[in-house]
Amino acid sequence: MTVYALAQLTVHDRARYDRYVAAFLPVLARHGGRLLAADTAPRVVEGEWPHDKVVLMSFDNREDFERWSTSPEYRAISRDREAATEGVVLLLDGIGHAWPA
């Protein structure tokens, strides 16, 4: 089942985050991930949103996400993101035939 990774980030070290971004897409693609959206100015429709950026990715399944997120290649570049941002990453299961849950 497709899974989606949703990152909500506040960037406090732009140079280090930009270094991460420059290396991100090739690593994501090599592991079967797809970048669906990345926005530095999402329109907040309800509530308050304290971050600077939101990123939405998809993977064919949870195992592919885990292989990407724990790969030595991604771990090497993710150090820059972890040092340059605060935020949260959520992993969401896609809607399958079990809807509604």
Side-chain angles (χ1 to χ4, degrees), residues 22-92:
F24 174 79
L25 279 178
V27 175
L28 181 70
R30 277 194 288 278
H31 290 274
R34 292 170 300 283
L35 180 63
L36 302 178
D39 197 336
T40 57
R43 185 170 69 113
V44 177
V45 178
E46 279 188 39
E48 303 218 3
W49 189 69
H51 299 292
D52 301 324
K53 185 169 188 176
V54 63
V55 178
L56 179 62
M57 301 164 280
S58 70
F59 295 84
D60 287 341
N61 52 58
R62 189 174 293 269
E63 292 77 20
D64 286 349
F65 169 82
E66 295 292 339
R67 274 191 287 277
W68 168 73
S69 67
T70 62
S71 71
E73 189 176 26
Y74 181 69
R75 296 306 312 151
I77 68 168
S78 70
R79 289 183 190 100
D80 283 326
R81 178 192 50 80
E82 292 165 358
T85 66
E86 297 293 327
V88 62
V89 178
L90 305 169
L91 189 60
L92 313 166

